[in-house]
């Protein structure tokens, strides 16, 4: 008996239905925004940055979250703290507990206690004052089963250990190697609790191999998209708030069944930040 091989029609892989989960975010209006010092390669104090324009763009971001059904709390900006708009750096809040930030540079040091005080006064009494240098959600990104943690420019390796012990969640270290992508949240973002999008060139060879093993189905971003801080995005599992200039990524996300929500935060990019930097997620579980 001969078996004739039949040509299988090449079925397009089914795109899963994406589900949004309602989030609670903490944000800080950039009333005192400026670029007065340079602590990352995006910052040029001579280039001129407008607090007024930053506030207008930031207001759009806040309205976007509200329109998507999320809750947004606000912390008062401190005069003389031009980077305080980058709320992601203020802490890591998981399971109702907060691991406080301890900034790398003196210029931002006062933000750590300011965010911790806000959390204690607003329903998160269990705040850990950190022993080790860490810049909160800038370098810690929470997934369902683990926390991804960046090191190399800002957050100390020892802080990964400290966060794991305090939060009781497995922390996976990833080493950043490109100074443009000095925080983990400039190179990678969780699409949902299980999968991520990232730019491989931002990571050491070993960390790239770890990412390939953990996330074989990850969305891989190009250098062009990473270079406009496209990976500094915020996903609720379905809607992805992303810098509008990351046009390739916007298209790829849509092809994967996500709903890209482009925003313009070009003024904040002069300080090296995008949507995610402006957003600290307050996770009660
Ligand atoms: N100018 C700030 C700094 O260098 C930008 C922080 C951006 N935040 C972030 N989560 N990546 O610290």
């Amino acid at each position: 008996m001969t078996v004739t091989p039949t040509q299988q029609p090449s079925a397009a892989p089914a795109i899963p239905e994406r589900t949004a989960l309602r989030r609670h975010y903490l944000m800080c209006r950039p009333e005192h925004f400026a670029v007065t010092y340079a602590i990352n390669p995006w910052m040029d104090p001579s280039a001129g940055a407008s607090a007024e324009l930053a506030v207008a763009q930031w207001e759009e971001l806040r309205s976007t979250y509200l329109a998507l059904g999320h809750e947004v709390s606000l912390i008062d900006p401190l005069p003389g703290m031009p980077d305080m708009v980058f709320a992601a750096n203020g802490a890591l809040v998981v399971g109702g507990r907060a691991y406080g930030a301890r900034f790398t540079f003196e210029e931002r040091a006062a933000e750590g206690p300011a965010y911790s005080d806000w959390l204690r006064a607003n329903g998160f009494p269990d705040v850990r004052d950190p022993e080790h240098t860490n810049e909160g959600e800038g370098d810690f990104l929470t997934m369902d089963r683990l926390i991804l943690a960046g090191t190399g420019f800002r957050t100390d390796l020892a802080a990964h250990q400290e966060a794991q012990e305090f939060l009781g969640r497995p922390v996976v270290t990833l080493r950043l190697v490109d100074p443009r992508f000095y925080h983990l949240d400039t190179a990678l973002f969780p699409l949902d609790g299980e999968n991520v999008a990232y730019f491989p060139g931002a990571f050491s060879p070993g960390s790239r191999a770890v990412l390939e093993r953990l996330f074989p189905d990850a969305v891989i971003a190009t250098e062009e998209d990473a270079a406009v801080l496209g990976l500094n995005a915020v996903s609720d599992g379905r809607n992805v708030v992303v810098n509008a200039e990351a046009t390739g990524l916007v298209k790829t996300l849509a092809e994967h069944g996500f709903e890209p929500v482009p925003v313009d935060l070009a003024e904040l990019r002069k300080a090296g930040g995008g949507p995610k930097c402006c957003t600290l997620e307050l996770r009660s579980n």
Side-chain angles (χ1 to χ4, degrees), residues 39-40 43 83 86 88-89 108 135 137-138 154 182-183 185-186 232 271-273 276-277:
I39 56 172
N40 70 54
M43 302 177 87
D83 273 336
F86 301 119
N89 300 129
R108 298 193 66 187
E135 298 197 348
E137 279 201 318
R154 300 286 180 93
Y182 55 95
H183 275 142
D185 74 356
T186 62
N232 196 249
K276 172 59 207 171
C277 298

Side-chain angles (χ1 to χ4, degrees), residues 132-204:
H132 298 286
T133 301
N134 83 89
E135 298 197 348
E137 279 201 318
D139 273 321
F140 287 105
L141 296 171
T142 301
M143 317 277 304
D144 284 349
R145 298 164 62 94
L146 44 84
I147 296 174
L148 300 173
T151 191
F153 296 101
R154 300 286 180 93
T155 297
D156 276 354
L157 200 52
H160 296 184
Q161 219 52 60
E162 192 179 20
Q164 170 167 295
E165 204 52 40
F166 176 64
L167 297 167
R169 306 254 178 134
V171 172
V172 174
T173 293
L174 298 169
R175 184 162 293 276
L176 297 162
V177 296
D178 183 330
R180 290 174 298 168
F181 310 114
Y182 55 95
H183 275 142
L184 180 62
D185 74 356
T186 62
L188 178 150
F189 71 93
L191 292 161
D192 51 33
E194 311 219 304
N195 200 11
V196 298
Y198 68 99
F199 168 54
F203 296 92
S204 68

